[in-house]
Amino acid sequence: MIKIIAVGTIKDKHLDALIKDYEKRINSYHKIQIIEVKDEPITSDERMVKEREGRRVYEKIGSDEYVILLDLHGQMTDSISLSNKIDKLFVHHSKLTFVIGGSLGLADCLVERSNERIKLSDLTFTHQMTRLILLEQIYRCFKILNHETYHK
């Protein structure tokens, strides 16, 4: 199973429709689940905000899951490398979990729990857009692994 745990909800109905479309596409290859946790209002105590959001995410992660954080400080990857990584990880792990933190970043408990951290781009995206981009990349991975054509 692939699980995506994301802080916050998708408020834009058009973006939500695209996300649901990619979920459906991925489900024809592999089971995927998206879990949303509540985001905190931003206050002057940014560390506390990150910790509260981080605890909510942490509670949704099982002890047997391989955890990949989407992180600006993570390792840059490309689509082919990501598809090879997913293929190899499924040999030893039945559950892959991707985590998209809140707007202030990731809590220390998540960084410590993660197995690795990846960066999708040097560009900055909203967390809602990051979810769509991640889903598109996961779908692309399955297309690559199955030697199927996709957008060129």
Side-chain angles (χ1 to χ4, degrees), residues 23-123:
E23 276 184 84
K24 182 178 173 185
R25 292 180 193 206
I26 294 166
N27 268 314
S28 67
Y29 293 97
H30 201 85
K31 184 172 173 50
I32 188 162
Q33 176 186 28
I34 296 177
I35 298 172
E36 295 178 339
V37 299
K38 182 183 178 302
D39 55 345
E40 283 287 310
I42 304 298
T43 67
S44 59
D45 190 349
E46 292 183 357
R47 187 174 181 281
M48 181 189 67
V49 170
K50 284 195 322 187
E51 290 304 315
R52 284 182 180 169
E53 291 174 344
R55 271 183 291 185
R56 288 184 189 119
V57 171
Y58 193 91
E59 291 171 357
K60 304 293 183 187
I61 299 172
S63 61
D64 60 339
E65 296 175 31
Y66 189 93
V67 178
I68 302 171
L69 299 183
L70 273 68
D71 186 353
L72 293 173
H73 307 289
Q75 178 75 33
M76 184 72 87
T77 191
D78 60 46
S79 299
I80 292 173
S81 298
L82 184 60
S83 65
N84 290 331
K85 177 184 296 296
I86 286 174
D87 192 37
K88 288 176 184 170
L89 286 172
F90 274 132
V91 171
H92 301 289
H93 305 277
S94 60
K95 297 176 185 171
L96 301 182
T97 299
F98 291 88
V99 174
I100 303 170
S103 60
L104 296 177
L106 298 157
D108 292 340
C109 65
L110 295 175
V111 173
E112 291 168 13
R113 171 59 182 88
S114 70
N115 297 92
E116 66 181 284
R117 296 152 61 182
I118 64 170
K119 175 168 60 169
L120 294 177
S121 174
D122 283 329
L123 300 172

Side-chain angles (χ1 to χ4, degrees), residues 10-24:
I10 303 298
K11 295 168 182 74
D12 181 291
K13 66 179 181 178
H14 301 292
L15 187 57
D16 190 50
L18 289 168
I19 287 169
K20 283 182 172 49
D21 180 56
Y22 276 104
E23 276 184 84
K24 182 178 173 185

